[in-house]
Amino acid sequence: MSAVPESRVWPAEGLTRVPYWVYQDEGVYAREQERIYRGPTWNFLGLEAELPEAGDFKTTFVGDMPVVVTRDEKGAINCFENRCAHRGALLCLKDRGSAKEIACVYHNWTYDLRGNLTGVAFRHGIKGQGGMPEDAQPESQAPRKLRVTVFCGLVFATLSEATPPFERYVGAEVAAKIRRVMKAPVRVLGGYSQMLPSNWKLYFENVKDTYHASLLHLFFSTFRLNRLEQKGGVIVGGDGGSHVSFTMMNTDSSGDEYEKAGMRSVSGGYRLEAPQMLESVDEYGDGVTLQILTVFPGFVLQQIMNCLAVRQVLPKGIGRTELAWTAFGYAGDDQAMTERRLKQANLVGPSGYISLEDGAATGFVQRGVQGAASNASIVEMGGRSVESNESRVTETSVRGLWQQYRMHMGL
Amino acid sequence: MTAVDVELQLAVEKLLARYVHVLDDDRLEEWPDFFVEEGRYRITTAENFERELPLSIIYADSRAMLRDRVSALRHANIYETQRYRHAVSSTLVERLDAHTARATSNFQVVRIMHTGESVLFASGRYLDRIRIDGRDPQFEEKTVVLDSRSIDTLLAIPI
């Protein structure tokens, strides 16, 4: 059991307060690894399309734990710890590749694509000399195998037998919105990572926080792409830690709520010279131009107009988080659609017109709360409970995150 | 090397020098003018480039899109005050025809934050196609290939 100091008591207000020690405490971080990432949660590993052929593999992480993801000879996706049974060295050193078997470079112990130990070099010695005792059990320290689920081409894994089936875990409504975007076979367009100077939960809150979107990100507001008076909503799923928020474009009633409030996020006269970048096609026939979806603890699915991507949130210590982006289109896209997706990719990522601020903003909190472990943030927009909401001036899905988090953590 | 080649080499190196000084001196409004009207600019990672994946971190196919990038940085996007210091070296130049040349260069970018923190922010290659028949050479295409797949925090100012 990892040690969280006894002084770390959640504020009496409950879900409307987030104590700042939760982003700063090494004991909390260790317990998260144990109870969340290695506990009963579904951890995102990547797109099935990244491993099209038998033998394809990639390496990634479940929390801090390195894992190998493979497609075996029968076409099934497997996930096992990237750790040799012998001395614990990484089995797989490459980010991705193709192989018939996995061999540890240290002493050449070998594994099949399902993570089974298949060979111990010189197990019986050479010419009767050396080797292991007859009753040795090298398999006893074999890399742990994770249970894998592939939902609509998205690959998730869990170490726990207690994790509910995926659809129950995220809730039927969130599952339906995953199906909406993952409606056809996908093609990977590329990827990159962003190293965020903040705790992983600050980023995960940021993605769920529909309140900030049009206030921090001026680009959208100015072009009336995500003003909060537009039609949309937030759905909270599963135990609270999964959500989907959406916006319908062309429903702007030209309200002037922002102007009346004199907010920074509206500037006069700002126009794009090349607005073609924003020309989009309604691929789903429902008028939803923006859908952001999360699955606890570290998955984001994004549809921003025709720009589609998955993001994997990977903790790298209390104050550092890797955000791994993979952009995709559908296998059936024509050249014009691919070009549209690539142009709209200017909106997202480390240089994204509507996302570059997020990299910095989460860091501003991490730095801002340095001397304030016993203070707490206020999360009362849209009330004090966790429920789906038609307004996006709400922090309901942020409270949902803390509901599920506290359930796992016993805090 | 012929005298013509030397002249071309110097012209390309001078173009690159002027380009990085504009970025480092925060004269971003002048940045689009280094490109022809239909010029293409793209920042990607070596990983995407080698796997022939088309995703970019920044992608523009006209000077107008570059001007939009500058006005968003000036008026819309929020980021902490920072500067770059570029170092460009090892420029290889190849004449393609009377109008165009190809150049490959190495670069490193140091990022200096207002807090005083100074780090090696990016390294990589410039893959340039340059129009050389005008008064000043201009980029027809500039592909910035970052060595790393990982960007620290955000990439606002162009490279």
Side-chain angles (χ1 to χ4, degrees):
Chain A
M1 184 70 58
S2 49
V4 174
E6 282 178 16
S7 58
R8 304 309 195 199
V9 178
W10 205 274
E13 292 91 335
L15 298 177
T16 61
R17 292 292 182 278
V18 182
Y20 294 135
W21 50 257
V22 86
Y23 309 112
Q24 300 171 331
D25 193 304
E26 293 285 359
V28 168
Y29 185 86
R31 190 186 280 192
E32 287 167 353
Q33 296 301 318
E34 180 183 300
R35 295 202 186 177
I36 294 176
Y37 295 103
R38 300 197 298 273
T41 62
W42 285 113
N43 293 276
F44 180 62
L45 303 175
L47 294 167
E48 198 184 8
E50 292 177 69
L51 308 172
E53 308 291 337
D56 286 351
F57 68 84
K58 71 175 276 189
T59 55
T60 182
F61 295 87
V62 168
D64 281 343
M65 181 175 71
V67 296
V68 186
V69 190
T70 65
R71 187 184 287 277
D72 65 30
E73 301 83 352
K74 291 177 181 160
I77 305 285
N78 303 267
C79 176
F80 50 93
E81 222 180 330
N82 192 0
R83 172 183 62 78
C84 185
H86 178 213
R87 299 300 302 271
L90 289 171
L91 286 174
C92 230
L93 302 173
K94 288 183 179 167
D95 297 328
R96 58 185 73 245
S98 183
K100 287 200 167 65
E101 64 171 15
I102 310 279
C104 179
V105 296
Y106 202 172
H107 302 88
N108 201 40
W109 288 29
T110 55
Y111 299 80
D112 66 20
L113 293 169
R114 283 168 292 284
N116 297 307
L117 179 62
T118 51
V120 173
F122 304 127
R123 181 167 187 166
H124 304 292
I126 298 173
K127 293 179 183 170
Q129 299 290 309
M132 273 186 173
E134 282 305 315
D135 61 352
Q137 290 186 303
E139 299 82 4
S140 63
Q141 294 297 322
R144 283 170 287 182
K145 294 177 186 174
L146 288 82
R147 207 148 56 83
V148 170
T149 193
V150 180
F151 186 78
C152 301
L154 306 172
V155 182
F156 293 86
T158 183
L159 258 183
S160 169
E161 285 304 317
T163 317
F166 185 79
E167 212 164 331
R168 184 142 62 84
Y169 177 81
V170 299
E173 288 177 296
V174 172
K177 298 299 185 189
I178 294 177
R179 283 199 186 90
R180 175 181 170 274
V181 175
M182 306 303 292
K183 60 173 184 158
V186 304
R187 182 166 76 93
V188 173
L189 296 177
Y192 41 70
S193 277
Q194 211 176 336
M195 295 305 300
L196 305 176
S198 65
N199 187 271
W200 67 275
K201 301 185 291 298
L202 285 169
Y203 182 75
F204 214 50
E205 285 184 292
N206 171 277
V207 182
K208 289 167 177 286
D209 169 8
T210 47
Y211 173 40
H212 89 283
S214 65
L215 297 169
L216 174 66
H217 307 304
L218 171 62
F219 192 84
F220 253 24
S221 324
T222 304
F223 295 96
R224 297 181 182 254
L225 290 164
N226 184 33
R227 294 162 66 103
L228 289 173
E229 68 235 42
Q230 286 183 344
K231 216 171 141 190
V234 184
I235 296 166
V236 182
D239 289 318
S242 301
H243 100 293
V244 58
S245 66
F246 60 97
T247 308
M248 330 263 289
M249 206 158 77
N250 302 325
T251 54
D252 182 20
S253 53
S254 298
D256 59 355
E257 298 304 316
Y258 283 76
E259 288 79 353
K260 273 192 243 164
M263 284 183 223
R264 177 190 57 76
S265 66
V266 171
S267 65
Y270 176 50
R271 290 286 176 269
L272 289 181
E273 282 188 52
Q276 300 82 354
M277 180 185 80
L278 300 171
E279 282 170 7
S280 55
V281 173
D282 182 358
E283 298 184 75
Y284 310 98
D286 57 8
V288 172
T289 45
L290 186 149
Q291 176 185 297
I292 301 291
L293 184 150
T294 60
V295 174
F296 186 84
F299 171 66
V300 183
L301 172 65
Q302 156 221 309
Q303 175 231 333
I304 295 172
M305 295 183 273
N306 301 115
C307 177
L308 311 177
V310 288
R311 312 176 197 163
Q312 190 186 18
V313 184
L314 295 169
K316 298 287 171 193
I318 51 172
R320 205 163 154 76
T321 301
E322 179 176 355
L323 184 61
W325 301 70
T326 305
F328 63 91
Y330 300 114
D333 286 348
D334 61 17
Q335 208 180 334
M337 183 54 93
T338 300
E339 180 68 11
R340 192 174 290 123
R341 297 193 203 286
L342 296 173
K343 278 231 174 104
Q344 290 176 6
N346 278 303
L347 295 170
V348 301
S351 302
Y353 282 129
I354 59 164
S355 72
L356 76 82
E357 289 91 358
D358 291 324
T362 56
F364 297 158
V365 179
Q366 192 77 30
R367 280 149 65 189
V369 303
Q370 272 309 306
S374 56
N375 286 76
S377 65
I378 297 171
V379 191
E380 293 192 20
M381 275 288 163
R384 301 197 168 99
S385 60
V386 177
E387 57 199 5
S388 298
N389 209 313
E390 280 181 22
S391 168
R392 282 164 303 130
V393 191
T394 180
E395 293 169 318
T396 184
S397 51
V398 177
R399 286 187 291 277
L401 162 62
W402 294 108
Q403 177 179 292
Q404 182 160 358
Y405 178 86
R406 292 178 64 192
M407 185 188 88
H408 287 288
M409 292 288 285
L411 286 170
Chain B
M1 220 182 209
T2 67
V4 176
D5 291 337
V6 170
E7 199 179 316
L8 178 62
Q9 178 82 24
L10 284 174
V12 168
E13 287 185 10
K14 189 177 165 195
L15 170 72
L16 288 164
R18 286 168 49 232
Y19 177 89
V20 300
H21 279 298
V22 158
L23 295 176
D24 293 349
D25 294 349
D26 192 30
R27 290 183 279 133
L28 297 184
E29 284 71 12
E30 297 171 38
W31 172 60
D33 297 332
F34 284 95
F35 293 79
V36 300
E37 192 57 49
E38 301 300 314
R40 296 167 68 84
Y41 175 76
R42 161 168 196 240
I43 301 181
T44 189
T45 66
E47 186 186 20
N48 287 335
F49 191 78
E50 278 150 26
R51 294 173 68 202
E52 297 181 359
L53 294 172
L55 182 71
S56 305
I57 294 169
I58 293 178
Y59 169 39
D61 65 357
S62 68
R63 215 193 269 164
M65 279 188 82
L66 298 176
R67 282 194 293 264
D68 285 344
R69 182 57 74 171
V70 173
S71 62
L73 290 178
R74 293 294 194 216
H75 307 296
N77 291 122
I78 311 295
Y79 52 100
E80 278 184 284
T81 307
Q82 55 190 271
R83 298 289 282 264
Y84 289 166
R85 186 65 60 201
H86 282 75
V88 181
S89 66
S90 310
T91 301
L92 293 171
V93 182
E94 181 190 351
R95 185 185 295 272
L96 296 176
D97 54 41
H99 313 286
T100 37
R102 185 158 57 198
T104 303
S105 314
N106 292 346
F107 68 81
Q108 293 191 332
V109 179
V110 174
R111 183 187 63 193
I112 307 97
M113 300 300 292
H114 68 104
T115 56
E117 185 199 29
S118 194
V119 295
L120 179 60
F121 177 60
S123 67
R125 287 174 292 162
Y126 285 143
L127 308 179
D128 299 324
R129 205 177 63 230
I130 300 165
R131 186 169 299 173
I132 50 175
D133 55 4
R135 194 169 57 86
D136 282 323
Q138 283 178 305
F139 297 113
E140 289 183 350
E141 189 173 309
K142 186 171 193 69
T143 304
V144 181
V145 182
L146 303 177
D147 291 330
S148 169
R149 78 180 312 273
S150 184
I151 307 288
D152 181 67
T153 310
L154 55 79
L155 194 167
I157 304 166
I159 286 176

